[in-house]
């Protein structure tokens, strides 16, 4: 990847640079932060040896959603406000006409036919979209996203949580708990965080999309993303994306916070430094490509 590629990425928003100063000031310089994020991505891809072009099979790009009306592509990442962004995509594509996005049930937003996927297009059409459309993704601190997945899928009592407890929890308890009771094995409903982490360390982090690294889901070193948003600045970044494609007035819902970040240190203190280092290596690409570290959580960062 190169700085020339960075210029190409931002050709679609270069018009911002020639806006009147008052308008630029109102935008709070979003492109300056974006340039920094794009540079972080390019350097990370190069430093990790991930920057070489890989022949893409578009049938595998099933996390990229398509809005032909606004020439927009969105790579959704579970546990990074993807439910609300899927709701937005339904409105943009005309699948829903509600003025209040929260009126769209989460189950409907996540249904297979709620929004067109890039993998459903023919290879020539998919290639054309990748070349010509604005494409974006939203990122989040890897360990915060991981903890959010654990708390949502193994501690909640939602129907989707029950599925995860049955599908994964029973296996985790049986394999990673010393002398589990029959009742615990049958329910899978009380998986501890440490047991969950042992499962990931032993069996990998790509067994389910909710904890699969963003690098694997969205191919950021291969695809040419126009915009990289951060969960930490979700409202501002979401507005910027919608403004870029001149979307109609859409009020992006305020994300319901589960205070996951506040619990990071509490949960990760249950792990040994060796386990944290091993887990970090599994998510190393996400840490380095998107500019995240461990200093806030550990008091120091890992090289």
């Amino acid at each position: 990847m190169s700085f020339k590629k960075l210029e190409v990425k931002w050709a679609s928003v270069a018009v911002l640079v020639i806006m009147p100063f008052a308008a630029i000031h109102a935008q709070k310089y979003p492109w300056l932060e974006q340039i920094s994020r794009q540079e972080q991505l390019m350097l990370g891809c190069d430093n990790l040896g991930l920057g070489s072009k890989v022949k893409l099979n578009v049938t595998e790009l099933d996390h990229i959603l398509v809005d032909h009306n606004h020439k927009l592509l969105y790579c959704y990442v579970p546990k990074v406000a993807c439910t609300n962004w899927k709701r937005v995509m339904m409105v943009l594509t005309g699948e829903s006409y509600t003025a209040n996005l929260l009126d769209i049930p989460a189950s409907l937003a996540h249904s297979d036919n709620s929004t067109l996927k890039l993998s459903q297009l023919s290879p020539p059409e998919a290639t054309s979209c990748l070349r010509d459309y604005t494409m974006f993704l939203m990122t989040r601190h890897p360990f915060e996203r991981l903890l959010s997945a654990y708390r949502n899928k193994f501690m909640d009592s939602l129907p989707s949580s029950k599925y995860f407890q049955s599908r994964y929890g029973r296996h985790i308890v049986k394999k990673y708990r010393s002398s589990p009771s029959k009742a615990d094995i049958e329910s899978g409903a009380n998986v501890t965080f440490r047991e969950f982490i042992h499962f990931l360390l032993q069996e990998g982090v790509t067994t389910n999309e909710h904890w699969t690294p963003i690098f694997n889901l969205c191919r950021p070193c291969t695809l040419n993303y126009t915009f990289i948003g951060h969960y930490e600045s979700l409202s501002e970044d979401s507005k910027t994306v919608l403004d870029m494609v001149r979307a109609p007035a859409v009020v992006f819902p305020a994300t319901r916070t589960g205070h996951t970040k506040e619990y990071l240190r509490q949960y990760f203190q249950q792990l040994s430094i060796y386990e944290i280092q091993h887990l970090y290596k599994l998510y190393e690409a996400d840490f380095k490509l998107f500019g995240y570290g461990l200093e806030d959580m550990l008091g120091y960062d890992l090289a």
Side-chain angles (χ1 to χ4, degrees), residues 34-47:
Q34 190 58 210
I35 289 173
S36 175
R37 293 177 188 174
Q38 296 282 359
E39 183 179 1
Q40 176 79 43
L41 173 62
M42 290 190 296
L43 292 176
C45 291
D46 288 342
N47 290 338

Side-chain angles (χ1 to χ4, degrees), residues 107-255:
S107 57
L108 180 59
H110 289 298
S111 64
D112 287 338
N113 60 353
S114 66
T115 311
L116 181 67
K117 296 179 179 180
L118 193 72
S119 58
Q120 295 173 303
L121 303 181
S122 68
E125 187 177 8
T127 300
S128 176
C129 291
L130 288 170
R131 182 184 65 242
D132 299 331
Y133 285 15
T134 296
M135 182 163 59
F136 78 101
L137 61 83
M138 293 287 174
T139 72
R140 187 178 186 179
H141 189 290
F143 283 0
E144 184 182 335
R145 176 176 169 242
L146 183 63
L147 179 56
S148 178
Y150 166 75
R151 286 169 56 82
N152 176 233
K153 300 308 180 185
F154 295 102
M155 294 182 66
D156 280 353
S157 56
L158 300 170
S160 62
S161 305
K162 295 297 184 184
Y163 165 78
F164 275 78
Q165 290 158 16
S166 175
R167 170 67 179 82
Y168 295 97
R170 294 169 65 183
H171 167 72
I172 292 172
V173 168
K174 183 177 181 180
K175 187 169 182 179
Y176 297 100
R177 180 173 300 177
S178 176
S179 303
S181 70
K182 183 178 179 181
D184 288 345
I185 294 175
E186 289 178 348
S187 71
N190 62 353
V191 172
T192 68
F193 183 64
R194 197 153 193 257
E195 289 167 345
F196 174 59
I197 296 303
H198 285 179
F199 160 69
L200 297 179
L201 295 180
Q202 293 297 317
E203 303 187 31
V205 292
T206 59
T207 51
N208 185 275
E209 63 176 10
H210 286 80
W211 46 80
T212 293
I214 297 173
F215 171 77
N216 298 83
L217 296 177
C218 296
R219 314 288 185 86
C221 291
T222 303
L223 299 176
N224 194 17
Y225 282 90
T226 316
F227 189 90
I228 301 168
H230 280 193
Y231 187 81
E232 297 77 12
S233 52
L234 178 64
S235 296
E236 299 89 338
D237 289 349
S238 296
K239 183 180 184 305
T240 299
V241 170
L242 293 171
D243 288 346
M244 285 169 64
V245 297
R246 298 181 180 179
V250 176
V251 179
F252 192 88
T255 300

